[in-house]
Amino acid sequence: MTLGRPLGTSFVAMILTGIFFTGLNRLSIASRVAYAFSRDGGLPKSSYWNHLQTRRKTPQRVSWLVTAACISGIFPFYWGD
């Protein structure tokens, strides 16, 4: 017995939404950990990565670093065999 196209589409949409927010949560956690390491001097050039954005007081530089590292980790799967 199948659920039908509308219900199946809604289940897939819910699953993809969950995957998106899980990835966003992991990116947020990794950024917080990287900021903590840079604040404590655990990353190379910590004074650069430790910088907080003046308007929002967020660690924007280290967030972009983590984002770039995550994106660069995805590419080998697309260019595999």
Side-chain angles (χ1 to χ4, degrees):
M1 181 169 145
T2 62
L3 299 175
R5 189 173 185 96
L7 192 55
T9 303
S10 65
F11 279 155
V12 170
M14 286 190 298
I15 289 170
L16 290 177
T17 303
I19 290 171
F20 173 76
F21 282 113
T22 301
L24 195 61
N25 186 22
R26 287 179 181 235
L27 187 64
S28 174
I29 291 170
S31 295
R32 289 173 187 242
V33 169
Y35 175 72
F37 272 113
S38 68
R39 183 190 61 213
D40 296 339
L43 287 179
K45 301 195 181 208
S46 291
S47 61
Y48 177 76
W49 300 117
N50 191 18
H51 180 265
L52 291 176
Q53 185 186 18
T54 54
R55 196 172 84 194
R56 293 191 178 110
K57 304 288 187 214
T58 57
Q60 188 175 19
R61 291 178 184 168
V62 78
S63 296
W64 282 112
L65 172 72
V66 170
T67 302
C70 290
I71 289 173
S72 67
I74 291 173
F75 285 133
F77 291 109
Y78 290 118
W79 294 325
D81 284 343

